[in-house]
Structure formats: structure tokens, C-alpha cells
Amino acid sequence: MPAPSTSDQDLFRRIIDFGMTPEELDADPAAAAQVATPLVNLGLPWPAGFAPTPQPMNPKPMPSDPLPKADILVVTWTVAEVEALADTLTPGTNRKNWYPYNRNFDAHYRPLIRKGAPSLAKNVERLGSYFMTKIGNKKVLCVKSELHLNQDGIATAPGKATLPVKDFFQQMIDEVQPSLVITAGTAGAVFGDHQLGDVIVTRGAKFRLRKEFANETFADTAYKCDTFTIPTGKLNDAQTLLAKHAARLKEPDFGPPTKAYNWTGPLIPGIVNSPDLKIDGVAFPAFHPILTTDFFEFGNSVNKLETIGCGVEMGDAVLGQVVKEMMDAGKPAPNWLVIRNASDPQINGDLPTEPRATNMQAHWAVWYYETYGYWTSVSSSIATWAVIAGLP
């Protein structure tokens, strides 16, 4: 596999778009030669009464219609993530059958989005897509966002830019009126003992902004949802469900990039990971935050990111920011939670990063995502189910 582009936006765009059809990419078919896993019957052994049940809307909504009200709002971000979420929480309903959503897109969002952003791609032109499902007695709206912190901003000053995904979070909350918002999907592991496919569940998020948003007042702000207690009633069931497809997370037979760079031992049998739930206050300190960056960063064996966060991604702190601002303004605000799966393990920090064109640490971080992004996202989708099914 060739080394990925070293542009932060290009690296993350590669992850966002991985699995799109040529038509969705608005590109030559050769650019979409690799695709994420299509619609899959996962055969998960759901506990009686709690199997996710898709709820088609009749009549079919128009893209400009407001989002329907629901008890829980679940937001995910990339193609691999939404395919896993659809196969898990809206089984039998492919992501391409989710309803497109473009409310206020032209009037409000388009002027805030840079040319070339995912939401402006040909055959997209929308804020996202959605589908309703039911888990137990809870109505759950699943949304795939086309907006992304790292992809959309138009510079307004050095280290400052527009942030349309923040407006989108607010719009979704205003329309859906959920009691709980969950942002779910992939993340880079920062703890050395977190395996591929482990799921990080945390009530904390922290901005770690060093590029396009480096001079914003919120560039290092942390948020926590201390009004929510993570329900535990369905966590044991989730462990059973996680084990169903654990064999999909077998790594190749090589001295993996998590080993020391100068490792000279024989090839080792492929690692079979056993995905586990890593919950704040249990596996790591309470409210230990997910880290939201505006550049392509991942945990490695030397950068010690585990001391400041529980994983790395590019958007979740925006949700914490929106809810905090609602509370500060005296407005009713939902609880929120981050559920992120480790799509790449902690990377070996001894691997070379120069020259940038052959940055081997970035190479392996992207390779892990493209190889395991879908199946690790099934893990976070199962954990999302467990939290919702465990609610009173």
C-alpha cells in the first residue's frame, strides 16, 4: 500500500470517504477501488425485547423537512461508521436507504463551508442522512453527518475558522429534542493496553486544536457531562455481542507496528483481539476526555496522550461545547456521551516519521482504519445499543 498523503485534511478525508462509491466521491472509479463492507447480516443474538427495530417513515420525508423527534440522538461520521451503525441499529436498511437531510443547507451552511468539503461533493449536497429505530421503549434517531470539524472551515483569521458542524449539532438538538445525544464511531487508541476494537465510553471531551482553530478561545477547553450516569444493565449482554465477530479483528502474521521498531524476533501468529468495554470511572478516570483535534494525530508509545485523554478523534468536543453553551444560556439541554471504538491501536512511536512523504506511523494508523474500520465500528455500535437498552 502506498504511503498516504501527509496533509492533515487529506488524511482525514481519506478516512471519511473510504468505502464511498465512485459516484459519491465524484471521482474516477479507480479512486474508489477499495470499499468498506456492504450491508451485512450480523446475526447478533439480541436479548429478547431489545433487538433494534428500524422504523421507516411514511410518507418518506423531504430532505428539507425537520428531523423527527426522538428520545435518543446518535451521530456518526464516516462511511465505515455509518455502515456498521446501519447494520447494527437499523438492520436490513442500508445506509443508502437512510433519508437525506439538507434543511437550511443553502441559506445558512453553504457560505460557511470551504470548497471541496465532503458535504459539497457532487451527489451529496446535504448536512447528513438519518433513519429512526427503536430499542426497547426508546425511539432512537441515527444520523450520519457530512460536516466535520477538520474538513469544513473557512479561515476567518490566523488560527480561526468557521465551524458549521457546531451549528449542525445545535440544529439537530433543537429539532430532535433528545434527552441524550451520543456521538459514536472510530478513534485512535492512546493506552498501550487498549486492543483493536475496544470501545471507549466517556462523559468527557477536550479540544486539542493546533492548526486552523489554534487561536480560538476554546482551543484547549474541556467539557464533561456530570449529570449522566452510564447505565450498566446491558453491559454483560454487550460483551456477548462483541465476541460474536471478534475473529474479524485478527491481525496479520508479522511483527506488528505496535512492537519496537528494532524488533528482530520471528514472525508471530496474528493477534486475535478480544474487544472490551472501556468505561470512564472504571477502566480509566471518570470523565477522562476524548481528545478532539484539528490535525491528524494518534496515540503512540512515546507521546503520552493517555495522560491527557482516553482516545483521539476530530469532532466530539463540539457536542460538549454546544451543550455547555445551552446550559449557560439557561436553555434545556440534553445529556451527552462519547462512544468510540479503537480502530487503530497505540502505534509504535519508534517508527520513522521523516521524510513526511513516507511517515510510517501515519501509514499504519490509516492502514488499520482501512482494514478494520467497519468491524471495529460494529463494536461501538453494540456499545451504543447497550447504553440505550440499559436506560430506564
Side-chain angles (χ1 to χ4, degrees):
M1 168 182 146
S5 164
T6 55
S7 159
D8 287 309
Q9 284 188 330
D10 286 349
L11 285 167
F12 190 50
R13 182 63 179 270
R14 177 170 171 163
I15 286 172
I16 292 169
D17 287 347
F18 183 73
M20 282 190 173
T21 64
E23 293 77 18
E24 290 171 310
L25 282 170
D26 188 22
D28 183 89
Q34 292 180 303
V35 295
T37 307
L39 181 71
V40 170
N41 181 353
L42 294 172
L44 294 169
W46 302 108
F50 288 94
T53 307
Q55 306 288 303
M57 297 176 67
N58 188 15
K60 182 179 178 180
M62 297 295 292
S64 59
D65 287 348
L67 295 170
K69 291 180 172 55
D71 301 305
I72 314 295
L73 171 63
V74 179
V75 183
T76 201
W77 308 92
T78 73
V79 175
E81 292 167 359
V82 71
E83 290 192 338
L85 193 69
D87 290 345
T88 307
L89 297 191
T90 66
T93 304
N94 190 284
R95 67 175 174 92
K96 294 181 182 179
N97 299 124
W98 286 22
Y99 308 121
Y101 176 72
N102 66 6
R103 188 170 175 82
N104 300 322
F105 184 82
D106 286 322
H108 179 76
Y109 293 92
R110 189 183 293 273
L112 303 177
I113 301 171
R114 73 174 182 89
K115 183 178 180 181
S119 60
L120 294 180
K122 181 180 177 182
N123 296 328
V124 178
E125 291 279 316
R126 62 178 182 249
L127 296 171
S129 55
Y130 65 93
F131 211 87
M132 186 77 77
T133 194
K134 193 172 183 181
I135 299 173
N137 63 355
K138 303 297 183 186
K139 292 176 62 178
V140 182
L141 187 68
C142 301
V143 176
K144 194 273 186 190
S145 174
E146 301 295 347
L147 298 183
H148 306 273
L149 175 145
N150 176 255
Q151 295 292 310
D152 304 324
I154 298 172
T156 58
K160 295 186 177 184
T162 60
L163 188 56
V165 70
K166 179 182 177 184
D167 295 358
F168 185 33
F169 263 126
Q170 185 67 68
Q171 182 169 304
M172 288 189 288
I173 290 170
D174 289 344
E175 293 179 358
V176 180
Q177 297 182 18
S179 61
L180 173 66
V181 182
I182 297 172
T183 175
T186 55
V190 296
F191 289 97
D193 61 349
H194 281 194
Q195 295 185 351
L196 191 66
D198 279 355
V199 185
I200 301 158
V201 182
T202 182
R203 296 163 294 171
K206 177 180 171 61
F207 282 118
R208 179 177 165 83
L209 306 176
R210 299 295 180 266
K211 290 200 172 182
E212 57 189 312
F213 300 99
N215 293 326
E216 297 283 6
T217 56
F218 54 82
D220 289 288
T221 304
Y223 307 91
K224 63 180 180 179
C225 183
D226 55 9
T227 56
F228 182 69
T229 300
I230 298 169
T232 60
K234 289 293 185 288
L235 297 186
N236 286 339
D237 292 306
Q239 289 292 165
T240 299
L241 297 170
L242 289 173
K244 173 74 174 178
H245 296 290
R248 297 281 188 172
L249 302 179
K250 182 179 183 295
E251 297 180 48
D253 294 335
F254 59 12
T258 50
K259 292 287 186 184
Y261 180 50
N262 61 359
W263 184 69
T264 58
L267 295 182
I268 61 174
I271 298 170
V272 178
N273 294 279
S274 301
D276 191 15
L277 299 172
K278 305 293 187 182
I279 297 174
D280 84 51
V282 180
F284 50 85
F287 307 106
H288 199 47
I290 199 78
L291 301 175
T292 294
T293 70
D294 58 353
F295 61 104
F296 190 72
E297 187 174 35
F298 42 84
N300 66 35
S301 55
V302 298
N303 62 14
K304 305 298 183 184
L305 288 184
E306 70 274 15
T307 64
I308 59 173
C310 60
V312 185
E313 56 73 53
M314 304 177 92
D316 293 344
V318 180
L319 173 58
Q321 181 185 38
V322 167
V323 172
K324 176 68 162 54
E325 290 180 0
M326 292 178 71
M327 295 175 67
D328 289 347
K331 298 178 181 178
N335 287 316
W336 58 274
L337 188 66
V338 174
I339 300 180
R340 289 280 181 171
N341 56 271
S343 59
D344 49 287
Q346 185 191 76
I347 301 297
N348 172 19
D350 292 331
L351 289 170
T353 58
E354 298 294 340
R356 279 184 62 83
T358 55
N359 181 335
M360 293 307 296
Q361 292 186 35
H363 167 94
W364 281 112
V366 172
W367 179 86
Y368 268 105
Y369 178 88
E370 292 184 345
T371 305
Y372 301 103
Y374 171 85
W375 288 106
T376 58
S377 294
V378 169
S379 294
S380 60
S381 299
I382 289 170
T384 299
W385 167 87
V387 167
I388 296 169
L391 291 170

